[in-house]
Structures are given as C-alpha cells and as structure tokens.
Amino acid sequence: MDVFKPILLKFWSFVEKSDAKRIASQTPTPGITQLCDIPYVEDGKREHLLDIYYPEGTKGKLPVIVDVHGGGWLYGYKEINKYYCLKLAEKGFLVASINYRLAVNCSIKEQIQDIFSAFSWLHENLSEYPADTDNIFLVGDSAGGQFVCLSAAICGNERMQKDFDVAPSLCFRAIGAICPAVDLCSPNFMMNANLKSLLGDKPKENPLYKYMDYTNVAYLGLPPFYIVSASGDFIQTQAKKLHAILDRHGVENVFCFYTERLNGKKLPHVFSVVDPYSPPATREIKTMTDFFKSKLRERERA
C-alpha cells in the first residue's frame, strides 16, 4: 500500500492553487499563434492533448521544442507551462506542449508511453505546421526533466524500448533538463516517496526500477544536454548528479547553476518556468535557446 500518495496529493493540491494564482497574475506573451487542445490520442481525454505555439506571421520553417511539464508525477497539465512555452516560441521556435496521464492512476511506464504517443503524433503531423523536423529539441522541468532524460535514452536503447514498450519516432538534437529529478533510488525521502506511485507496491522488484537512477541509463550516444538549476532549487543535487553522470559518460552537456537572488530571495525550483518574465528567467531562456540554435543542422543555420 502506498501510504505516501495521499500526503503527496495533498501537497500538490496546494501547489495547484498557487499555480492558478500565479497564472492569473501573469500576462501572456503577445504575437504568438496558439493552437490549443489538439488530441494526440483520439480518446477524448484531457491527458492526451497538446498545444502548438509559434510566432505570428511565421514564414518558412522553425526549429521545434517539445515541452514536457513537471508536477511530481502526480500533478500538472500543459497549461502550467503555457507562458513559459510562449516565451520559448518568441525566441523563434515552434513549441509543442504536451499533457500525459498522471501517476494517480497509472504507472511511469504508461506515462512514458503517453509521451511517446505524442512524439508519434508530432512525427506524423508536424509537416502541417511551420516546423523544421530536422531540428527538434526536447525540454522538461522537474519530473518532466526525468521524463525527457529517460526519453532521450530510450530513443537510442533497444532494451529500454522493449521494457517501456515504445518505439522512437523523433530524433532530438539536444535536451533541456530544467531542475530535473534523475535519481529516485538513492536514500532521499522526497524522491523515494514517489516510487510506489510509479512502480507499484514493490518498486525494487519492478524491472523498470533500475531506470529510476540515471546512473544506470546514461551512455555515450546521448544528444547534448543543457541543464539548469539554482541555489534555491530544493532538488539541486539531482541536477548536479545529472551533470556528473553525463561527464563520466563523455556526453556533451552545459550546466548552468544560478546563485543570484531576486528580490532578496534565492531563485527557486524551475524558476524560469514559473516566472518566465523575471530578469533571471529572461536571461536563462535566451541562454538555453541560444544553445539549441548552436545545435541546429549546419545547413539550417541563419
């Protein structure tokens, strides 16, 4: 029995109220075409919808960012990242923001399958939009950071594809991991408490358990990573661990760790997502998107 789930759900209910207040106080970036609630699985479920954003008046094809929201695996929906995605689109990208089922009633295997279903839909349908399908990037924050790290590994690992029962369809030129969670196995109450929600009552007996520590996942063939954390990020050790793991495997990665303060406070967990209009977030979004632009196929560069 997962005794932690009710506690975690109570916590995320407070976060949901905070997110609603935050979103109501912010003004969306103007000049962005918004195509919302597109089903990537035709089952009528909110969890299987995605949004597409790109600058108004776009001519030609734009590099693509696929964004996977966070929320501790148990909470969240694409709308909590909407204003962040609008800022990404403002930098000259077509952004696809996806929903997925939450671990309230499903496993991490099913969550990954949802994400790969969204990838398949994008593979089949991006040609209908001003999208450069040779230049696709993948971004996720917090639990979404774990999803994008796992997805990057799955795309090049046949064993993981079989274990998660998914097939790759998109090729990612780089990964953006924003304050990611990458190790749920090492002793850490905050991380360990989620394992039963994701893997069942006996998580260590689940064949996917080993993948809950990115130490057991990373390999040389991964795409470049851009990692972000800050001194006020309550899981900053996870981002630091990802950086160290990728370094050991010889995977190109840039780790941006912010120590500055805003209004006298340390920058918090996923600061660029929750307040994309603040000066530190504005700089961070530009730095990450500039990194992505440096990874565009040579023939596509401006």
Side-chain angles (χ1 to χ4, degrees):
M1 179 180 178
D2 186 357
V3 298
F4 297 121
K5 184 179 286 188
I7 299 171
L8 293 169
L9 288 173
K10 186 69 173 178
F11 168 77
W12 288 112
S13 71
F14 286 116
V15 174
E16 183 171 20
K17 293 177 182 177
S18 176
D19 277 338
K21 183 178 180 180
R22 165 181 66 83
I23 293 168
S25 72
Q26 295 174 334
T27 302
T29 303
I32 306 296
T33 296
Q34 302 182 32
L35 306 173
C36 300
D37 294 336
I38 302 167
Y40 66 84
V41 175
E42 295 285 354
D43 61 3
K45 293 182 178 180
R46 180 188 186 186
E47 295 91 338
H48 292 149
L49 301 176
L50 59 81
D51 296 343
I52 290 178
Y53 309 114
Y54 55 87
E56 293 176 358
T58 292
K59 296 180 180 179
K61 296 183 181 298
L62 300 173
V64 176
I65 293 175
V66 181
D67 183 69
V68 183
H69 70 79
W73 301 276
L74 293 164
Y75 159 73
Y77 35 85
K78 55 187 171 55
E79 286 78 13
I80 63 175
N81 282 27
K82 180 171 184 172
Y83 292 176
Y84 175 66
C85 289
L86 293 177
K87 293 298 288 185
L88 295 177
E90 185 184 45
K91 296 301 181 183
F93 290 82
L94 181 146
V95 180
S97 178
I98 68 173
N99 275 344
Y100 52 84
R101 283 174 291 173
L102 303 176
V104 178
N105 296 307
C106 76
S107 68
I108 192 170
K109 182 175 182 177
E110 292 167 305
Q111 292 179 304
I112 290 289
Q113 289 173 343
D114 280 357
I115 291 166
F116 272 75
S117 291
F119 293 166
S120 294
W121 187 93
L122 291 167
H123 173 72
E124 294 171 3
N125 293 278
L126 275 177
S127 60
E128 299 178 15
Y129 304 90
D132 176 2
T133 56
D134 287 331
N135 286 303
I136 302 179
F137 302 87
L138 182 61
V139 172
D141 61 283
S142 198
Q146 187 212 27
F147 288 139
V148 302
C149 290
L150 284 176
S151 296
I154 291 169
C155 285
N157 186 312
E158 291 184 3
R159 177 70 265 169
M160 293 182 72
Q161 292 167 23
K162 291 179 180 178
D163 287 345
F164 283 96
D165 193 19
V166 295
S169 55
L170 298 181
C171 179
F172 300 107
R173 299 202 60 77
I175 307 300
I178 315 302
C179 303
V182 294
D183 180 8
L184 281 66
C185 301
S186 298
N188 180 310
F189 172 79
M190 191 175 300
M191 295 291 105
N192 301 161
N194 293 284
L195 284 170
K196 286 188 176 181
S197 296
L198 299 174
L199 300 175
D201 287 340
K202 298 180 179 179
K204 291 184 179 181
E205 296 180 13
N206 190 307
L208 302 182
Y209 175 78
K210 58 183 175 293
Y211 301 135
M212 299 301 101
D213 180 351
Y214 213 65
T215 302
N216 304 321
V217 175
Y219 54 88
L220 181 59
L222 288 169
F225 274 65
Y226 181 92
I227 308 166
V228 182
S229 185
S231 55
D233 177 10
F234 66 95
I235 61 168
Q236 61 182 267
T237 56
Q238 298 269 312
K240 292 174 180 177
K241 178 165 184 173
L242 175 61
H243 172 53
I245 292 169
L246 295 176
D247 273 356
R248 286 200 301 272
H249 285 275
V251 176
E252 179 186 353
N253 71 98
V254 171
F255 182 31
C256 293
F257 187 79
Y258 289 77
T259 58
E260 65 186 278
R261 291 173 177 260
L262 181 64
N263 299 324
K265 297 180 180 180
K266 295 178 180 179
L267 296 179
H269 184 59
V270 300
F271 70 92
S272 59
V273 176
V274 298
D275 187 7
Y277 309 106
S278 70
T282 298
R283 292 195 303 274
E284 163 52 33
I285 290 169
K286 183 180 186 305
T287 302
M288 184 181 75
T289 53
D290 282 351
F291 176 79
F292 287 169
K293 289 175 183 177
S294 77
K295 300 305 175 185
L296 297 176
R297 290 174 65 98
E298 192 71 32
R299 64 182 177 83
E300 299 293 343
R301 292 186 188 174

